Amino acid sequence: MAAPAEGVMERMAESSGSTDLFPGFPDTDAFVKYALGTVVTTTKAATGLPQYGDEYDFYRSFPAFRAFCETQGDRLLHCMSQIMQYHGCRSNIKDRSKVTGLEDKFDLLIDANDAVLERVGILLDEASGVNRNRQPVLPAGLQAPKTIVSSWNRKGGDSSKKGKADTFRLLHAKNIPRPQLRFKEKIDNSNTPFIPKLFIKPNAQKPLPEALRNKRDRQQRPEDLDVPPALADFIHQQRMKQSEDDMFSHPYQYELDHFVPLESCMAQPEIQPFLPLNDVPCHVITTLDDVVELNEKLLQCSEFAVDLEHHSYRSFLGLTCLMQISTRTDDYIIDTLELRSDLYILNESFTDPAIVKVLHGADSDVEWLQKDFGLYIVNMFDTHQAARLLSLGRNSLDHLLRLYCNVESDKKFQLADWRIRPLPEEMIQYARTDTHYLLHIYDKMRTALVDAANGQQNLLHLVWQRSREICLKKFVKPIYTEDLYLELYQKQKKHLNTQQLAAFRLLYAWRDKMARQEDESTGYVLPNHMLLKISEELPREPQGIIACCNPIPPLVRQQINELVLLVQQARETPLLKTEMSSAKKKGPVPNPERMELLLFGPHDMRSPPGHSLFTGADVPAAAGSLFNDEDPPLTPHTPVAVLASASITIFSDPGDERDELNGVSLSRQKARTILESFDNPFRMFLPSVVRGAHASQAAKSDPNTKMFEISHRWKLVSIAQQEREAKAKQEARQKKLAEKAAREQATRDFRINAAALPSVREQAVEDASRRREHATRDPGTETCNVERKRVREEMAEPVATAPFTPRDYSKSDFKVFAGASNVKSQSEFDPNKQMPQGKKSSSKKPQQTMGNRSLSFMSGKSDRGFKHSWPKR
């Protein structure tokens, strides 16, 4: 970037011995042409560099790029330092020991730019003949320092009489009584839309809406005394069922839409010389009778000039403190603070289409007239718009005064507090200068416009058309919303966490509330830099808030306890850390070796299905789904055609109208247009292999262009390999899906068969019934359990009993109770007879006692407990 500037200096150094005006160049035009080309080339190279952020940090990580930037930066700072030294400015921009930060460097650069541009403007004025002062102009650094004490409150005098200059008393703003306290109509700072103050419409071609006509009568209603005027008008409009458009519309919109400039205004004017300022009487208007008399005089004029002086620091909506009106013979200064409620009378002359109102830069003046006085303008000529069409270079009123009137204006009262009463004579003279010469400038500019158009009236028509558009502007009150603080936060270019942002929001709302309540500007209540400082620091005590403000605003000192509570409330907000979470991808990324060379973003390159944004070719794409568990089938992509399907996009709308010819919705057509116009701004920093050459969409789809051949060559080289890989993956995926489908089918068959089988209980009942049927058919095959059950059932059945007969046991055979023993049976059994103890049985095994046997014991061996029944080893 510094190389072009050094090239110019080297060429000038090589030819320094020549006598040319510009060494190294034959004439001025050659030097200007070479310098302009160098500046354009430098600007293009600078705009192509990575911007500060993620991209710059990425490129900064490469040592070659970092070394190149540092080298070029040092050369550029060296050139800037030389230029600043030549113009006498502070040139320590390269010395890091003297400059503490980046803000100081910017301050030095801004000061140098102002000094250079001011010197260039002075030289251009001298070359054009506007300023005929031939005295040499010294650079700012070579001039003797001047001790300036309140330069706008001291009379200008000769340098030899500097110490004897007279001063006048100019009070500070805090000592001036607030004029709002004397207003008859209370200022409406409510958070409601602005309703025009006009209730009488002179020069009307369309009558005034009923909502505005009876405005003063509605203000006397007792039910509306406790609500703001704008809200009362809105309530009345709702009560009367009137149209909302009539209430908030421009009252003179119909007249301005049908306005046609007079023929006398479009013809070649006769330039009338202006009278000296001291020879014209100045009338100060302070009473209602003076306003009525002024209106009658203005109705007799064919044109007059108007200007306003406004104050916005100690009022929420601002105050129009002074109005200046000048005719060809008189100047009028109107005290608008005293006559604020009576200036609607001037609407009769201000809206007369036969009278031209000349203003300079009336964009704000038109809104101030509506806001404070209910005044509207019809047939206006804005000299600022005429200066723009004439391409004068500078469109300020100061420049027009020097160009057409050869008058040097003094702007030392431009930022003065115009609420001061009584006004000093110097401020009155300054106010008169803004309108006294304006009618003469109006004649001169009309002549220049006709000459510039070769005698035609098209430029004059264009000036009146632009002026009419300015007259149609409406004043809009600032309306507070919950998200309004974000506009100021975005302008600060600082990152705040959740607690700091909460404090910023609460303090912004408090500032707006206090400004409306106290009728002060937001800058007076709490300036922006103090608001941001408190939000960043989050002080815990009142002393911390006071330390963040220097100087301390009065309302901050008064409401310090409330501010502490707001900051404490912000501190209780959960501190959240914002992180950018990347979506997790399922499965491997196709072609990972190519992803590192591409700016791959499937959602950024969204296009309608089957269409490629870069090649225009039809590429198959599968439809996506939002709640599908299965992965979508993979589709091969090329370096120039990457497709991704998604079910939700910012351009999809089920209610979009479809194009019958193309079958594509309008939103997708817009998306296609936006993406076709996208071009990577960092293409020049990419490797030459992947950078390629930029070509339009038409060139990529035209077979006659080289880009079409290159695009198709790339596609043919990579499409075969990608198709094979995609085919193999597709087959594996289909096989996996087939196996999964087979498993699911087997599971479904098993469930169907299981549902058809009977339950265990049903099987048991069926088996029991089958056994009973079998037993009925073949009684000999019954089991023991069935027999015992049947015996028990028979025993349970009642049987007819015979008469009881005692059994004679003497006739019983007792041998059955003896068992299989070798003991000789006895003829009879005596239970009381004991067996001799000393006598043993002759049998090998011991014989049990006969009396110990139970009657129910059956004879035979028992296998329980005998050793021959034990399991063999």
Side-chain angles (χ1 to χ4, degrees), residues 119-140:
R119 185 177 182 184
V120 170
I122 294 174
L123 295 177
L124 290 177
D125 292 341
E126 292 182 1
S128 60
V130 177
N131 187 5
R132 303 186 183 278
N133 185 11
R134 298 299 181 183
Q135 297 180 359
V137 180
L138 296 177

Side-chain angles (χ1 to χ4, degrees), residues 498-499 502 506 538 565-575:
T498 53
Q499 293 182 353
L506 294 174
L538 293 178
L565 294 178
L566 293 177
V567 174
Q568 182 179 359
Q569 180 181 351
R571 278 185 167 275
E572 296 174 356
T573 304
L575 187 60

Side-chain angles (χ1 to χ4, degrees), residues 660-726:
E660 297 180 358
L661 298 178
N662 300 328
V664 182
S665 62
L666 297 178
S667 59
R668 289 190 173 180
Q669 292 180 4
K670 295 178 181 179
R672 183 188 305 172
T673 304
I674 294 172
L675 291 173
E676 287 177 356
S677 63
F678 173 77
D679 186 18
N680 183 15
F682 308 106
R683 187 187 302 274
M684 59 183 297
F685 299 101
L686 296 175
S688 59
V689 179
V690 297
R691 179 174 65 224
H694 174 70
S696 62
Q697 187 70 15
K700 295 174 183 178
S701 58
D702 187 6
N704 297 325
T705 60
K706 188 67 175 176
M707 189 61 194
F708 181 84
E709 180 182 354
I710 296 174
S711 176
H712 281 264
R713 186 183 306 166
W714 287 353
K715 183 167 64 177
L716 291 176
V717 169
S718 58
I719 195 66
Q721 179 67 21
Q722 292 182 5
E723 286 181 354
R724 286 194 298 270
E725 294 177 359

Side-chain angles (χ1 to χ4, degrees), residues 180-233:
Q180 298 95 313
L181 302 177
R182 304 195 308 268
F183 291 164
K184 297 179 182 179
E185 294 182 1
K186 219 177 159 185
I187 295 180
D188 181 23
N189 293 330
S190 60
N191 199 30
T192 54
F194 175 77
I195 297 180
K197 294 185 176 182
L198 188 68
F199 61 93
I200 296 176
K201 186 178 179 181
N203 303 312
Q205 299 179 14
K206 181 180 179 180
L208 190 68
E210 186 67 24
L212 302 176
R213 192 178 307 170
N214 301 326
K215 183 177 181 181
R216 289 201 168 183
D217 298 338
R218 296 199 308 272
Q219 291 179 354
Q220 305 300 327
R221 295 197 303 269
E223 63 270 17
D224 295 339
L225 294 179
D226 296 335
V227 297
L231 187 58
D233 292 337

Side-chain angles (χ1 to χ4, degrees), residues 77-251:
L77 291 177
H78 178 69
C79 294
M80 294 170 60
S81 179
Q82 287 185 344
I83 295 174
M84 295 165 68
Q85 287 180 3
Y86 176 77
H87 289 280
C89 304
R90 292 184 298 164
S91 59
N92 54 352
I93 190 171
K94 189 178 178 182
D95 191 358
R96 294 183 175 84
S97 61
K98 296 183 179 180
V99 180
T100 58
L102 189 61
E103 296 182 358
D104 296 336
K105 291 186 178 181
F106 274 114
D107 293 339
L108 291 177
L109 185 61
I110 291 173
D111 295 340
N113 286 337
D114 293 340
V116 172
L117 293 178
E118 184 178 1
R119 185 177 182 184
V120 170
I122 294 174
L123 295 177
L124 290 177
D125 292 341
E126 292 182 1
S128 60
V130 177
N131 187 5
R132 303 186 183 278
N133 185 11
R134 298 299 181 183
Q135 297 180 359
V137 180
L138 296 177
L142 303 179
Q143 294 179 355
K146 297 180 180 180
T147 304
I148 302 175
V149 179
S150 301
S151 61
W152 58 281
N153 65 355
R154 181 179 295 275
K155 285 186 178 181
D158 199 309
S159 59
S160 60
K161 302 179 181 179
K162 187 193 307 183
K164 300 180 180 179
D166 297 333
T167 59
F168 55 87
R169 185 170 61 91
L170 188 60
L171 301 180
H172 195 266
K174 66 180 181 181
N175 296 327
I176 298 177
R178 306 194 66 188
Q180 298 95 313
L181 302 177
R182 304 195 308 268
F183 291 164
K184 297 179 182 179
E185 294 182 1
K186 219 177 159 185
I187 295 180
D188 181 23
N189 293 330
S190 60
N191 199 30
T192 54
F194 175 77
I195 297 180
K197 294 185 176 182
L198 188 68
F199 61 93
I200 296 176
K201 186 178 179 181
N203 303 312
Q205 299 179 14
K206 181 180 179 180
L208 190 68
E210 186 67 24
L212 302 176
R213 192 178 307 170
N214 301 326
K215 183 177 181 181
R216 289 201 168 183
D217 298 338
R218 296 199 308 272
Q219 291 179 354
Q220 305 300 327
R221 295 197 303 269
E223 63 270 17
D224 295 339
L225 294 179
D226 296 335
V227 297
L231 187 58
D233 292 337
F234 183 76
I235 294 173
H236 179 76
Q237 178 259 340
Q238 295 293 332
R239 186 185 298 127
M240 300 300 295
K241 303 298 182 182
Q242 296 171 353
S243 175
E244 184 176 351
D245 296 336
D246 294 340
M247 175 173 289
F248 298 107
S249 63
H250 195 288

